[in-house]
């Protein structure tokens, strides 16, 4: 559950901040710059976290939590745009970094990126092998019989 919350925060917070920084950097300086490289590095870090959770052998709840958050927000957006966008903090009293992350998350929501990420994070939940218990060592399942005698 905790890993799922961390992935959700990484996607919405880190990914949103990176998208906003990349958009403002591209608008200000189309050739790129340090701000663009930092934004791309943050996107790569978020992608690494998502990739490790999707491909790794962790609990399926770790991908279920962020997928449900992203898909639920996308469904709310498709049903009521104003209500979905009202969930984004944009008041001046909010810290600038949070507003940047919220603006980027809003951009990802309106362009459908959150819907695609939500579906991608939901796929591991459907794999039956993710719900099965792992055995640490197969040798523990078998009983060892003591040797009665040694043949030479």
């Amino acid at each position: 559950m905790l890993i799922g919350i961390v992935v959700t925060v990484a996607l919405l917070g880190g990914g949103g901040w990176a998208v906003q920084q990349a958009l403002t950097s591209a608008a200000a300086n189309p050739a790129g710059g340090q701000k663009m490289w930092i934004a791309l590095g943050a996107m790569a870090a978020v992608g690494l976290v998502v990739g490790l959770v999707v491909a790794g052998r962790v609990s399926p709840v770790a991908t279920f939590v962020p997928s449900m958050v992203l898909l639920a927000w996308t469904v709310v957006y498709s049903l009521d745009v104003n209500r979905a966008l009202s969930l984004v903090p944009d008041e001046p009293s909010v810290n600038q970094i949070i507003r940047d992350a919220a603006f980027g998350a809003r951009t990802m929501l309106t362009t459908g990126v959150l819907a695609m990420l939500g579906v991608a994070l939901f796929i591991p939940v459907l794999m039956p092998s993710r719900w099965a218990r792992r055995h640490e060592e197969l040798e523990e399942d078998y009983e060892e019989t003591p040797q009665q005698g040694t043949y030479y």
Side-chain angles (χ1 to χ4, degrees):
M1 181 76 152
L2 182 64
I3 294 172
I5 293 170
V6 168
V7 171
T8 305
V9 170
L11 278 170
L12 294 177
W17 179 85
V19 165
Q20 193 276 338
Q21 293 297 314
L23 288 175
T24 57
S25 176
N29 187 10
Q34 182 180 8
K35 197 174 187 181
M36 178 65 83
W37 285 106
I38 292 171
L40 290 175
M43 286 182 200
V46 170
L48 178 67
V49 168
V50 171
L52 287 174
V53 170
V54 168
R57 291 283 301 179
V58 295
S59 171
V61 177
T63 59
F64 184 69
V65 170
S67 70
M68 285 298 104
V69 170
L70 300 178
L71 292 174
W73 198 13
T74 303
V75 168
V76 170
Y77 178 74
S78 66
L79 296 175
D80 189 1
V81 174
N82 292 329
R83 178 169 292 180
L85 296 180
S86 71
L87 298 172
V88 178
D90 57 355
E91 295 85 26
S93 62
V94 177
N95 189 340
Q96 182 63 36
I97 294 173
I98 306 261
R99 278 187 287 164
D100 289 346
F103 177 77
R106 179 180 181 166
T107 302
M108 289 191 297
L109 174 68
T110 58
T111 57
V113 173
L114 292 185
M116 288 188 299
L117 284 170
V119 170
L121 285 167
F122 188 72
I123 296 298
V125 174
L126 301 176
M127 303 294 174
S129 62
R130 297 288 291 253
W131 293 94
R133 265 194 187 166
R134 292 186 298 261
H135 294 287
E136 296 300 323
E137 293 183 22
L138 294 176
E139 291 83 31
E140 293 177 357
D141 292 341
Y142 299 106
E143 294 181 20
E144 290 188 29
T145 58
Q147 297 288 335
Q148 297 295 331
T150 309
Y151 297 102
Y152 291 107

